[in-house]
Amino acid sequence: MPMRHPQLNEKGELRHLLTIEGLPRELIHRILDTAASFVGVSAREVKKVPLLRGKSVFNLFFENSTRTRTTFEIAAKRLSADVINLNINTSSTSKGESLLDTIDNLMAMHADMFVVRHAQSGAPYLIAQHIERMRGHAPHVNVINAGDGRHAHPTQGLLDMYTIRHFKGDFTQLTVAVVGDILHSRVARSDIHALTTLGVPEVRAIGPHTLLPGGLEELGLKVYTDMREGLRGVDAVIMLRLQNERMRGALLPSAQEYFKHYGLTEEKLALAAPDCIVMHPGPMNRGVEIESAVADGPQSVILDQVTFGIAVRMAVMSLLGQSQA
Ligand code: CP
């Protein structure tokens, strides 16, 4: 019998969202279609619906965030849920309470969903496993990974796919480049799994040798260390931040040198398809991986990504809220 994906229940419904790796293509499309159903006539207008009325969503951000934490809060409120933002700095984790003891206490307060960001890869898995072990003794609680270490950022991957579909339509006709610090990027990992699952025929990885992980070719990617060569004819370019906080040792000569070779400038963007869209998950470092003229230019969809994140996070939470244990 084939192994069931750990984040799906026996019916193939989402039980937790921990990673895009291994999610069926149909389920990704279902999430994107559900997100689209929450968007009004204008792409910026998101409906308020009662799908999570009476449920409590706990935002547990053990690492800083602007976009993800805020859009999860807006999304949960648009679904009519109660939202509790735990202030980690003033919580008892700062007194040495373990992660799972914190979870048990929040479950005793009738949490229905945990949105977890953590510097340690695997922390959301640990919580989901703990909840699964308590099955039968505790209520049905869902876990959403809001970014764990360098492992995965599945809702960012999904909102990136929503953005590409919104602007480009059919995934199966596209060439997409992911550029920069792929080695340390959970966003890159989630995007690459999503793009290949959705049938994008050409996914390119562009960056210096020191920031490219092994195994990209095995995933079906074309690898480029020359950015100009890698950008030729691409339909979408996803720029990544240098994850200095996750680097061990000197992997780059300097930020100026990096910008010269791997910074997205108008001159380099001109090598891509004329209607190429420019994406970045944020936070952006202007003058390091992207110049302001491009970040704020007509091909940039960076702020659209943020807006689409609300509907996509609503879709994930509403599908989780409807799933059975
Ligand atoms: N893209 C992203 O995860 O941004 P934040 O760190 O602001 O949440």
Side-chain angles (χ1 to χ4, degrees):
M1 211 167 84
M3 274 262 291
R4 188 158 60 82
H5 197 286
Q7 52 196 348
L8 305 182
N9 67 14
E10 275 147 23
K11 292 187 201 155
E13 299 164 331
L14 263 192
R15 169 93 178 97
H16 307 286
L17 179 63
L18 305 174
T19 174
I20 290 183
E21 187 175 3
L23 275 192
R25 183 186 294 200
E26 303 68 42
L27 184 52
I28 297 180
H29 277 298
R30 178 145 184 245
I31 295 169
L32 303 186
D33 291 343
T34 305
S37 76
F38 292 130
V39 177
V41 185
S42 139
R44 295 197 166 270
E45 188 191 310
V46 180
K47 299 169 190 167
K48 178 147 185 168
V49 288
L51 292 172
L52 291 189
R53 180 165 292 154
K55 302 242 184 200
S56 297
V57 175
F58 280 67
N59 267 334
L60 310 180
F61 279 65
F62 295 87
E63 219 190 46
N64 295 339
S65 168
T66 298
R67 286 144 285 265
T68 312
R69 199 204 61 72
T70 314
T71 52
F72 262 114
E73 179 170 354
I74 297 169
K77 286 179 175 167
R78 295 278 163 88
L79 291 167
S80 310
D82 296 319
V83 186
I84 296 93
N85 292 305
L86 195 72
N87 186 340
I88 301 298
N89 293 331
T90 56
S91 76
S92 292
T93 51
S94 63
K95 297 182 198 162
E97 183 172 74
S98 79
L99 179 62
L100 296 184
D101 279 334
T102 301
I103 294 297
D104 285 345
N105 279 273
L106 298 178
M107 284 174 71
M109 298 173 207
H110 308 296
D112 294 294
M113 217 172 268
F114 292 121
V115 178
V116 183
R117 169 168 289 191
H118 206 288
Q120 291 297 322
S121 297
Y125 270 94
L126 192 73
I127 297 171
Q129 266 177 348
H130 178 68
I131 288 168
E132 291 300 319
R133 276 198 295 271
M134 290 164 73
R135 269 224 256 180
H137 309 286
H140 178 89
V141 177
N142 312 105
V143 179
I144 303 174
N145 181 358
D148 62 330
R150 59 161 88 172
H151 169 244
H153 193 348
T155 56
Q156 180 71 45
L158 290 166
L159 77 87
D160 287 350
M161 296 310 111
Y162 187 96
T163 306
I164 291 173
R165 192 173 82 162
H166 177 86
F167 287 103
K168 294 287 159 190
D170 186 3
F171 288 105
T172 65
Q173 305 292 324
L174 298 177
T175 300
V176 179
V178 183
V179 183
D181 183 4
I182 297 174
L183 180 66
H184 301 99
S185 173
R186 56 196 177 204
V187 175
R189 242 167 288 283
S190 291
D191 280 343
I192 288 167
H193 286 302
L195 291 164
T196 52
T197 303
L198 289 169
V200 172
E202 191 164 329
V203 184
R204 300 181 186 173
I206 305 173
H209 280 300
T210 48
L211 297 180
L212 293 172
L216 291 171
E217 281 101 345
E218 286 72 14
L219 290 172
L221 273 68
K222 286 193 175 174
V223 176
Y224 295 83
T225 51
D226 181 330
M227 188 174 180
R228 289 184 172 79
E229 207 184 308
L231 283 181
R232 270 181 219 289
V234 301
D235 301 295
V237 54
I238 301 172
M239 297 304 300
L240 301 170
R241 181 174 69 86
L242 286 179
Q243 313 269 309
N244 290 309
E245 71 277 20
R246 299 197 190 110
M247 288 187 194
R248 300 267 178 280
L251 297 177
L252 294 168
S254 68
Q256 290 81 359
E257 191 71 6
Y258 181 80
F259 180 70
K260 187 172 145 203
H261 294 287
Y262 297 102
L264 188 60
T265 57
E266 286 181 308
E267 178 261 315
K268 291 196 196 97
L269 182 59
L271 298 166
D275 59 351
C276 173
I277 55 170
V278 175
M279 299 167 64
H280 193 307
M284 258 189 305
N285 287 315
R286 292 168 185 261
V288 179
E289 70 265 4
I290 192 164
E291 72 175 3
S292 285
V294 174
D296 305 325
Q299 288 168 261
S300 170
V301 298
I302 293 168
L303 294 178
D304 297 287
Q305 289 173 261
V306 178
T307 306
F308 295 150
I310 298 172
V312 168
R313 290 177 171 125
M314 284 175 77
V316 168
M317 287 193 282
S318 66
L319 291 171
L320 285 170
Q322 290 159 31
S323 72
Q324 307 292 310

